[in-house]
Amino acid sequence: MTHTDGTGTRHEGDGRDAFALLDRTHAAVTPRLRAGLDSLPGPLRRVAMYHFGWEHADGTPASGRPGKALRPALVLAATRALGGDPAVAVGAAAAVELVHNFTLLHDDIVDEDRTRRDRPTAWTVFGVPDALVAGDALQALALGTLVAEGHPAAPAAAARLGACVVELCAGQQADCAFEERGPLDVSLDECLAMAEAKTGALLGCACALGALYAGAGEAQVAAMDAFGRQAGLAFQLIDDLIGIWGDPRHTGKPAGADLVALKKSLPVVAALTSGTAEGAELAELYRRPAPTDEHVARAARAVERAGGRDWAQAEAADRMARAVDELSRAVPDLAAAGELLSLAEFVTRRSY
Amino acid sequence: MTHTDGTGTRHEGDGRDAFALLDRTHAAVTPRLRAGLDSLPGPLRRVAMYHFGWEHADGTPASGRPGKALRPALVLAATRALGGDPAVAVGAAAAVELVHNFTLLHDDIVDEDRTRRDRPTAWTVFGVPDALVAGDALQALALGTLVAEGHPAAPAAAARLGACVVELCAGQQADCAFEERGPLDVSLDECLAMAEAKTGALLGCACALGALYAGAGEAQVAAMDAFGRQAGLAFQLIDDLIGIWGDPRHTGKPAGADLVALKKSLPVVAALTSGTAEGAELAELYRRPAPTDEHVARAARAVERAGGRDWAQAEAADRMARAVDELSRAVPDLAAAGELLSLAEFVTRRSY
């Protein structure tokens, strides 16, 4: 049995529980997110509503679903896994999703990406100034509304979310810096650290916030954070594999999109730093701009033959194993951790 | 007797108390700010240290003073005026200054300004991506460290600061939008509302945070906010007068800088909407790009003859009167409000 989420990606089998959970999360968090966006002054609200897929560029209602709601689902599932009431964590879940979307708005400006979720990015529609300040406003909305709710866990959660934003910024900065460097000038460790900051940190923070709202102690919160980080790294590794070998019919992106963009993704850097002849060939291919289809196909073969594909798959499996290990520390009764496990498996079992 | 602050602006007479207060604030808040910036990951720290004037572009130490420290001084003075201990509000004062500087980093990108505090702006030195994410990180640092300090007033202060950031964003968005409109398509009320959001809101928030850290009640906090907002509008009106008639030797900007940029500042919009022949002449001048010195001189005369200069001076005086009125509500014993009064007078008595 296959499912399709709002991004057009297909999922199979064990994803069913995760899909139901994401749907329930979506239903629980959307009203809070919409209320937050509705509180913004007119022009900022309009950019944000467009970015979330709830309005067209002309301000008329749109029925788009903003995203997978993965991060809010992790917040609520973590709260439930530790015996808390997810209802009290809905504001924290919304805050995490607001932070995620503020970074998307800014990343699209910085990366000059023109398409997101099958629509023109906000900056291409409203201009860089409006998209930039709308992103700033979403960050403020996230942190401001979290503390305004007055839950006892809110100050610690906001401090953690603030520190996470700094880490996300560092990850995005590193990602941009890597693209400026030569093909052999980025180490795999640097690349993994960047992915942990850019993707792992917010998934970890989501789980940690869920734990805080369940009243968990410091060790449990830290283990939950580590679980989310490792699952986030697995997620990024799979995402990078999709960026090379993903089926355009499922991903909505052209084949080999990351290779076309000469992106230094994890499998690519693993190949580049492999010390193999194919790695050297890939480095040569990465020195020429505007590659042809044949060029992209050669690059994909080089990544594979240099061991980049196998490494990424093995590394993703290893990170998932570490995630499960951390989760067992955070939630000794693994039966209570079923939702978190199914979310972690959902993000790493996407077909490509 | 005249004084010179770090920005090269001269001040006279009654500013002496304010100067001593700003110096004391600078000494109290700088260690906190530097510790915050030092906590940032390397490349973000470097952009921030440069922006604050503490490092050169190559990372070597610089002795620059980041700014007037007006907003942190308002926080500490408001705490003291309401019987609180300013020492406990130093973190809140630093948070307000971090927010101010995050907006400067982003405003310089959005406005494509190339010079700030007599130095190249951060985005011209480090590129838009690094300056943008450094700004994001400063916002997170501001709100995150405020709540992390654990003062009982911190959650309310962070919620207020978050709401203020949304207002600053709305003000910046409106400012950009006005520049896109025709010379007669911006009303004076819209322009005042924009200035209140872009300048008044953060000065008001600074005073409100100071009140919160003194344990003040809601009415006092609101009156403090209103005091800061009105003083902020007076400040902006004076700033706009300086933008037209400021002496380049004191301002560090070319004569008539705002007219060269065809900026729809408050005196300009007052002139444009005056219904006078000179207002119509100014509208004609504002329809042509890249004005000459002669063009700028004619525009300045037109603003003056259309009553824009007199209006702005009278409006600034009126806003200061309202500020004092609000202050008397917040601090019934006006003797205790001496510092706040001297700060308000300092910002509106700058020579130009």
Side-chain angles (χ1 to χ4, degrees):
Chain A
M1 185 178 174
T2 62
H3 304 256
T4 304
D5 72 6
T7 66
T9 313
R10 238 175 25 149
H11 307 262
E12 314 207 352
D14 292 352
R16 271 176 300 178
D17 287 353
F19 266 97
L21 182 57
L22 291 168
D23 279 341
R24 285 201 307 277
T25 302
H26 187 257
V29 175
T30 298
R32 193 70 62 99
L33 285 171
R34 288 192 78 121
L37 266 57
D38 273 331
S39 77
L40 295 174
L44 302 178
R45 178 189 172 282
R46 189 153 161 197
V47 176
M49 291 294 275
Y50 173 83
H51 171 77
F52 271 82
W54 292 326
E55 284 185 4
H56 297 294
D58 64 2
T60 56
S63 57
R65 183 165 159 166
K68 289 185 289 294
L70 168 64
R71 291 158 191 83
L74 287 171
V75 176
L76 303 185
T79 302
R80 194 181 286 109
L82 294 175
D85 175 7
V88 303
V90 168
V96 168
E97 189 67 2
L98 287 168
V99 161
H100 177 52
N101 280 280
F102 122 66
T103 63
L104 295 181
L105 271 166
H106 283 188
D107 288 357
D108 286 341
I109 293 170
V110 163
D111 300 335
E112 297 180 19
D113 280 334
R114 305 190 68 87
T115 305
R116 166 153 324 266
R117 298 167 185 154
D118 295 326
R119 305 161 78 217
T121 46
W123 70 269
T124 67
V125 175
F126 299 98
V128 167
D130 282 16
L132 200 160
V133 294
D136 289 340
L138 289 185
Q139 186 191 162
L141 195 61
L143 289 162
T145 57
L146 187 62
V147 291
E149 284 196 337
H151 189 278
R160 216 166 171 110
L161 192 55
C164 177
V165 169
V166 171
E167 203 175 344
L168 295 172
C169 292
Q172 169 67 4
Q173 194 281 333
D175 198 10
C176 292
F178 291 172
E179 299 307 312
E180 302 293 312
R181 296 202 216 157
L184 295 174
D185 295 340
V186 177
S187 75
L188 196 49
D189 279 348
E190 284 181 309
C191 206
L192 280 165
M194 181 274 283
E196 181 173 341
K198 193 170 166 174
T199 307
L202 189 54
L203 269 64
C205 184
C207 296
L209 261 56
L212 285 170
Y213 277 76
E218 210 170 300
Q220 268 186 318
V221 172
M224 271 291 192
D225 193 305
F227 158 71
R229 274 175 192 268
Q230 296 299 335
L233 268 172
F235 173 59
Q236 189 58 56
L237 285 154
I238 301 295
D239 217 52
D240 284 357
L241 287 166
I242 292 172
I244 300 176
W245 291 283
D247 184 335
R249 287 171 302 172
H250 300 160
T251 65
K253 291 181 184 177
D258 283 357
L259 299 176
V260 175
L262 300 177
K263 187 140 187 63
K264 294 189 188 73
S265 66
L266 286 159
V268 166
V269 173
L272 287 169
T273 58
S274 63
T276 63
E278 291 85 352
E281 184 198 348
L282 182 64
E284 272 312 300
L285 291 168
Y286 256 57
R287 288 204 175 89
R288 295 174 231 170
T292 60
D293 282 356
E294 168 52 25
H295 189 114
V296 169
R298 276 181 62 203
R301 278 195 304 274
V303 175
E304 184 151 11
R305 288 178 189 160
R309 187 176 193 166
D310 285 348
W311 172 83
Q313 283 171 332
E315 185 74 18
D318 180 53
R319 296 294 178 165
M320 263 305 284
R322 291 201 217 179
V324 173
D325 186 50
E326 296 288 357
L327 186 57
S328 69
R329 262 176 252 217
V331 192
D333 172 17
L334 266 181
E339 287 184 352
L340 288 168
L341 276 176
S342 83
L343 287 171
E345 283 170 9
F346 160 75
V347 297
T348 51
R349 288 206 183 172
R350 292 170 299 163
S351 60
Y352 67 92
Chain B
M1 185 177 175
T2 62
H3 304 255
T4 303
D5 70 7
T7 66
T9 312
R10 237 172 28 142
H11 307 263
E12 312 207 358
D14 291 353
R16 271 174 300 176
D17 288 352
F19 266 96
L21 183 57
L22 290 169
D23 280 340
R24 285 201 306 277
T25 302
H26 186 257
V29 175
T30 296
R32 193 70 61 102
L33 285 171
R34 288 193 79 122
L37 266 58
D38 273 331
S39 76
L40 295 175
L44 302 178
R45 177 190 172 284
R46 188 152 162 197
V47 177
M49 291 293 277
Y50 173 84
H51 171 77
F52 271 82
W54 292 326
E55 283 184 5
H56 297 295
D58 64 3
T60 55
S63 58
R65 182 164 160 166
K68 290 184 289 294
L70 169 65
R71 292 158 190 82
L74 286 171
V75 175
L76 302 186
T79 301
R80 194 180 287 110
L82 294 175
D85 176 7
V88 302
V90 168
V96 168
E97 190 68 1
L98 287 169
V99 161
H100 177 51
N101 280 280
F102 122 67
T103 65
L104 295 181
L105 270 167
H106 283 188
D107 287 358
D108 285 341
I109 293 171
V110 164
D111 300 336
E112 297 179 20
D113 279 335
R114 305 190 68 88
T115 305
R116 164 154 324 266
R117 298 167 186 154
D118 295 325
R119 303 162 80 217
T121 47
W123 69 269
T124 68
V125 175
F126 300 97
V128 167
D130 282 16
L132 199 160
V133 294
D136 289 341
L138 289 184
Q139 186 193 161
L141 195 61
L143 289 162
T145 54
L146 187 62
V147 292
E149 286 197 336
H151 189 277
R160 215 165 173 113
L161 192 54
C164 176
V165 169
V166 171
E167 202 174 344
L168 295 172
C169 292
Q172 170 66 3
Q173 194 282 332
D175 198 9
C176 292
F178 291 172
E179 299 307 311
E180 301 293 311
R181 296 200 216 157
L184 296 173
D185 294 340
V186 177
S187 76
L188 196 49
D189 279 349
E190 283 180 308
C191 206
L192 280 165
M194 180 275 284
E196 181 173 341
K198 193 170 167 175
T199 307
L202 190 54
L203 269 64
C205 185
C207 297
L209 261 56
L212 285 170
Y213 276 75
E218 211 170 299
Q220 268 185 318
V221 173
M224 271 292 192
D225 192 306
F227 158 71
R229 273 175 192 269
Q230 296 299 335
L233 269 171
F235 173 58
Q236 189 58 56
L237 285 153
I238 302 295
D239 217 52
D240 284 357
L241 288 165
I242 291 172
I244 300 175
W245 292 283
D247 184 332
R249 288 171 300 171
H250 300 159
T251 65
K253 292 180 183 177
D258 283 356
L259 298 176
V260 175
L262 299 177
K263 188 140 186 62
K264 295 189 188 74
S265 67
L266 285 158
V268 167
V269 172
L272 288 169
T273 57
S274 64
T276 62
E278 291 84 354
E281 184 198 348
L282 182 64
E284 272 312 301
L285 291 168
Y286 256 56
R287 289 204 174 88
R288 295 174 232 170
T292 60
D293 283 356
E294 167 53 25
H295 189 112
V296 169
R298 275 181 62 203
R301 279 196 301 275
V303 175
E304 183 150 12
R305 287 178 189 159
R309 186 175 194 166
D310 284 348
W311 172 83
Q313 284 170 332
E315 186 74 17
D318 181 52
R319 296 293 177 167
M320 265 304 284
R322 292 200 217 179
V324 173
D325 187 49
E326 295 288 356
L327 186 58
S328 70
R329 261 175 254 219
V331 192
D333 171 16
L334 265 181
E339 288 184 351
L340 288 168
L341 276 175
S342 84
L343 286 172
E345 283 169 11
F346 159 74
V347 298
T348 52
R349 287 206 184 172
R350 292 171 299 164
S351 59
Y352 67 91

